[in-house]
Amino acid sequence: MYRLLIVDDEDMITDGLYEALSGCGMDLDLYKAYSGREALGWLHRTRVDIVLSDIRMPGIDGLQLLSIIQRNWPHCRVIFLTGYSDFDSVYQAIQTPGVNYLLKSEGYPKVIQAVRQAVAELDDSLRVNDLIQRAQEKMNTLEVLARGEYFCHLLHGAKPAPNLEEDFRKLKLPLDASRPVYVALGDMSNGASVLSYASKQESALAVTLLAEGFWAEPMISLGMLDRFGEPVWLIQPRNDREEEDEPDKASRMLPYLEGQFELIQEACIESLKLSVSITLGDRPCEWPKLSSTYDKIRQHRQLRAGDGDHLVQTVVLEAVESHGSARVRSPRERSDALAAHLDAGRRDDFLQLFDELTESDREHSATFLQESYYTIALVLLAYINRLELEDQVSGASALMRRDEHPTWEAAFAYLREAAESLFELRRSGERNRAAGAIRKVCEYIEEHLAEDLSLVRLAGFIHFNPSYLSRLFKQECGTNLSDYIETMRIERAKELLKNGEWKVQEIGLRVGYEASQSFTRFFKKATGVTPQEYRENARA
C-alpha cells in the first residue's frame, strides 16, 4: 500500500482532495497536512510515496519540501497544484524527474488521473531488474560471500581486532570502523517450502544484491550472509548526512530505514517472488557489541505477532549485553542449525535436519545415535528454558532421560513429538500475540478518538511498521483499520448527541473531526441524517 500526503494551507482544498481520493478506488494510505511545516513532520516520521502539494504556501513552500523529499525519499513522486501565476515555480519544479504539476482549476478527475499515473510509476520502479543489474556490476557474488566470511566471525562471537580500520581498508569495505552501525536481519522462511542449501543461498544472495540499489545515496550499506545463509545488513549514514544542521536527525534515521526496507520487501516480491521479513535494531551499536546485538535481534525475531509475512519489526537495544557476556556457542554446527531453525519457526527445515540426525541404519553406531539424541534434546531443552515454557510442555524434564525409551526409534519419536509441540505452541503464541496487539490498538483508539489516529501514529504505538499493522488488523478483525476508526467515531458521536448537551461542533471535535463540515459529511454518509437531525430524532 502506497502512502500519499496531501499538503495545502487551505483547509477546504486539503479536505476536499482527501475525500475525493478516499473514494476513488485506489489502495492508498492517505494523510493530510495543512502547512509545509506539518508536512515536514510527516516526512520525518514515515516513508511517503506520493506528495500532492500546493506549490505556494506561507513558511515552507512546495519547492522547499521538494528538496527535502529528494534527499530523504528519492523514490517519492511529487504532484504540485498550481495557479496560473506560478509559471516560474512550475518551470523550476518540472526540471526534476518524478515531479508533475496540475492547475487547481482542472478539478478532481485530473488529480485522480495524476495520482494513478504516479502509482503506476511506483509499480514500475519496483520491477527492479535494472537495479539488480547495476548492483551486480558494482559487486559480484564472490564479494558478498567474502564479506560474509569476514563478518561471520564478528557476528558469531569473535572479538573485533584492535586494528579494525586496517582490516576494512585491506578488504575495501565501505563502512567506517570508528563509527557505530545499524544491524538488520532478513528472514525468507515465511510460507516457504523446504529448499536445498544451494537454492537458499541463491535466494539470499539475490535479496542482498537487490537491496544494494536502495542505499546508494543517503546511506552506506553492506549486505552479507550469516552462517545460517540469511541476509544481514550493516548500515551507516554517510558523513555528509550526519553533518546536516537539521534538528532531531537521529530520531529520523529509524523511520527512514524502516521505509527503505519496506521498499526492498516490495521489490523482492515483484522481482524475485520472495517474501522477506526484516528485524532491525532501533539504534546503531559499537563494533565491540556487534555479536551481542546480532544475538538479541535474532532472538527477538521469534516473538513476532502473527505470521510475520512482510513484517519490519524493530528491537529495542538498550539491554544488549556487552560483548564479553554474550552467550557461549556450541561448536557443533548441527546444533547451531537446529537452534536457528527452531528459533525462527522453520518447522520443515528443522524436521529435515532432525531426520538426517536420527537415521538409525547400520551405518550409524550407537554412540553416534546417542550424540544425536542429546544434541537434539539439549536444543529443545534450551529453547524451553529460554522462553520459560516448562509449564506449557508436558514431560520437558524427561528430555534428558534417554534410558526411559526401549529403542532408538521410540526415543527419536519422543523427541519429534516434543519438537512438533513446540512449533505448535509457537504458532499459537503468534496468533495470541496478534490478537493481543490488535486488542491494544482497539483500546487505544477508543480512548483517543479526539486525537491523531493515523496509521503511522498507531503503528508507532504498537511498534510495528504501518503496512504490517494495516494487514494484521484486516486479518484479525475482517475490516480496514480506517473503517473501524470511522465506525468508532460515529458511534461515540451518536452517544454524545443523544445523552449530552454539547454543541454539534464540540461533539465533532471530541470524536476527532477538526472541521464541522467534515463531521457533518461523514456522519450523514454513515447514518443518512445530519448530526442535528439525529439529535432531534433521538429526543422525539
Side-chain angles (χ1 to χ4, degrees):
M1 178 185 293
Y2 294 123
R3 296 173 196 156
L4 186 149
L5 176 62
I6 303 167
V7 190
D8 200 296
D9 60 322
E10 296 185 42
D11 293 5
M12 290 185 60
I13 293 178
T14 304
D15 293 340
L17 288 168
Y18 185 93
E19 289 188 38
L21 290 167
S22 296
C24 72
M26 285 185 283
D27 191 18
L28 294 170
D29 191 17
L30 301 177
Y31 303 95
K32 294 185 288 187
Y34 298 99
S35 68
R37 185 160 298 281
E38 186 178 354
L40 195 60
W42 281 112
L43 291 166
H44 287 159
R45 287 170 63 190
T46 187
R47 187 195 92 229
V48 177
D49 304 297
I50 304 171
V51 173
L52 179 60
S53 175
D54 189 2
I55 203 166
R56 286 188 181 273
M57 293 180 290
I60 298 177
D61 64 17
L63 292 179
Q64 289 172 300
L65 279 180
L66 177 61
S67 66
I68 295 169
I69 291 167
Q70 289 176 314
R71 184 168 64 247
N72 291 345
W73 303 109
H75 77 285
C76 184
R77 267 47 180 181
V78 177
I79 303 169
F80 281 128
L81 299 175
T82 72
Y84 286 103
S85 60
D86 292 334
F87 177 80
D88 291 339
S89 298
V90 169
Y91 183 82
Q92 181 180 347
I94 61 177
Q95 307 307 307
T96 304
V99 176
N100 196 358
Y101 76 97
L102 297 171
L103 292 173
K104 289 186 176 181
S105 59
E106 292 187 273
Y108 292 148
K110 283 285 189 179
V111 172
I112 293 172
Q113 180 182 348
V115 172
R116 290 190 188 279
Q117 179 182 341
V119 169
E121 290 172 2
L122 288 169
D123 286 339
D124 289 341
S125 71
L126 291 177
R127 300 182 180 96
V128 288
N129 288 331
D130 57 325
L131 281 180
I132 296 175
Q133 181 62 36
R134 289 201 299 271
Q136 287 174 334
E137 291 172 355
K138 181 180 177 182
M139 67 170 187
N140 58 34
T141 300
L142 291 177
E143 289 177 321
V144 177
L145 294 176
R147 292 172 180 175
E149 288 181 4
Y150 174 73
F151 279 103
C152 262
H153 82 286
L154 297 181
L155 292 173
H156 297 284
K159 184 178 180 180
N163 56 343
L164 202 59
E165 294 89 348
E166 183 177 352
D167 285 349
F168 282 20
R169 181 179 54 79
K170 288 181 177 179
L171 294 171
K172 298 181 180 179
L173 301 176
L175 298 173
D176 187 341
S178 65
R179 295 164 53 218
V181 63
Y182 285 88
V183 182
L185 176 63
D187 181 13
M188 299 178 295
S189 64
N190 302 315
S193 58
V194 177
L195 298 175
S196 67
Y197 174 83
S199 297
K200 288 180 184 177
Q201 193 91 338
E202 181 180 7
S203 297
L205 282 168
V207 170
T208 305
L209 289 167
L210 183 150
E212 288 294 313
F214 290 85
W215 305 108
E217 282 299 326
M219 310 295 289
I220 302 171
S221 171
L222 196 65
M224 69 207 70
L225 303 186
D226 65 9
R227 71 191 303 173
F228 306 116
E230 295 179 326
V232 176
W233 289 273
L234 304 178
I235 307 164
Q236 291 176 331
R238 293 184 184 274
N239 284 324
D240 55 355
R241 184 180 178 90
E242 288 194 330
E243 292 167 1
E244 294 171 358
D245 293 329
E246 299 175 16
D248 300 324
K249 178 169 21 57
S251 65
R252 298 200 298 271
M253 286 307 306
L254 190 59
Y256 176 83
L257 295 176
E258 291 171 344
Q260 291 304 103
F261 275 120
E262 287 182 325
L263 292 175
I264 290 169
Q265 287 175 327
E266 295 293 337
C268 287
I269 288 287
E270 189 67 36
S271 296
L272 305 176
K273 312 304 179 189
L274 290 173
S275 176
V276 182
S277 294
I278 304 294
T279 306
L280 168 69
D282 70 332
R283 67 200 65 197
C285 73
E286 300 295 336
W287 289 102
K289 295 185 178 180
L290 180 63
S291 177
S292 54
T293 298
Y294 166 81
D295 276 353
K296 182 164 187 178
I297 290 173
R298 190 172 193 86
Q299 291 169 13
H300 186 86
R301 185 173 62 179
Q302 64 187 297
L303 299 178
R304 64 195 180 200
D307 59 13
D309 191 28
H310 239 51
L311 171 65
V312 179
Q313 66 175 339
T314 55
V315 182
V316 179
L317 296 177
E318 290 178 331
V320 171
E321 300 172 316
S322 66
H323 176 81
S325 62
R327 63 183 175 86
V328 178
R329 297 174 179 272
S330 167
R332 296 191 296 275
E333 284 296 325
R334 54 180 171 270
S335 176
D336 282 343
L338 281 169
H341 295 327
L342 184 59
D343 285 346
R346 294 190 290 262
R347 174 185 176 276
D348 292 341
D349 288 336
F350 181 97
L351 294 179
Q352 183 181 55
L353 182 53
F354 180 99
D355 291 338
E356 294 173 7
L357 292 173
T358 57
E359 291 278 342
S360 58
D361 57 28
R362 296 178 182 177
E363 294 180 6
H364 291 158
S365 65
T367 54
F368 175 89
L369 296 175
Q370 188 173 36
E371 181 187 1
S372 297
Y373 178 92
Y374 286 111
T375 294
I376 298 168
L378 280 170
V379 167
L380 299 179
L381 191 60
Y383 182 86
I384 291 169
N385 290 337
R386 187 164 62 254
L387 298 185
E388 301 179 350
L389 301 176
E390 55 269 20
D391 294 334
Q392 302 177 57
V393 180
S394 60
S397 60
L399 283 169
M400 302 305 292
R401 298 201 292 268
R402 152 69 188 95
D403 294 338
E404 293 185 2
H405 305 287
T407 64
W408 285 114
E409 288 77 9
F412 289 131
Y414 168 75
L415 290 182
R416 189 184 187 96
E417 182 178 348
E420 290 275 17
S421 69
L422 290 178
F423 282 109
E424 179 55 37
L425 194 61
R426 178 194 179 91
R427 286 190 291 270
S428 175
E430 290 173 352
R431 292 191 294 268
N432 292 339
R433 284 191 291 273
I438 297 305
R439 185 167 56 251
K440 286 178 63 177
V441 170
C442 291
E443 291 172 355
Y444 183 90
I445 290 170
E446 293 176 17
E447 295 171 5
H448 299 81
L449 284 175
E451 301 175 14
D452 172 22
L453 292 179
S454 64
L455 182 59
V456 170
R457 172 76 173 273
L458 294 173
F461 166 69
I462 206 68
H463 305 299
F464 292 165
N465 60 304
S467 300
Y468 187 72
L469 174 58
S470 178
R471 187 176 71 87
L472 186 64
F473 192 95
K474 180 67 176 291
Q475 178 180 301
E476 290 293 313
C477 299
T479 186
N480 291 327
L481 180 56
S482 58
D483 293 338
Y484 176 84
I485 294 171
E486 204 65 51
T487 299
M488 295 303 298
R489 282 176 163 158
I490 296 300
E491 291 303 313
R492 180 69 58 82
K494 288 180 180 178
E495 294 174 10
L496 295 174
L497 287 166
K498 286 191 293 186
N499 303 325
E501 297 300 325
W502 302 96
K503 294 180 180 179
V504 169
Q505 182 178 1
E506 293 172 333
I507 291 174
L509 289 172
R510 283 179 169 269
V511 297
Y513 295 96
E514 296 179 1
S516 59
Q517 300 94 328
S518 296
F519 175 44
T520 300
R521 281 196 300 270
F522 280 101
F523 191 93
K524 187 171 184 179
K525 181 180 178 182
T527 65
V529 295
T530 66
Q532 186 60 41
E533 291 170 342
Y534 183 88
R535 167 173 275 173
E536 293 170 357
N537 293 338
R539 292 178 173 178

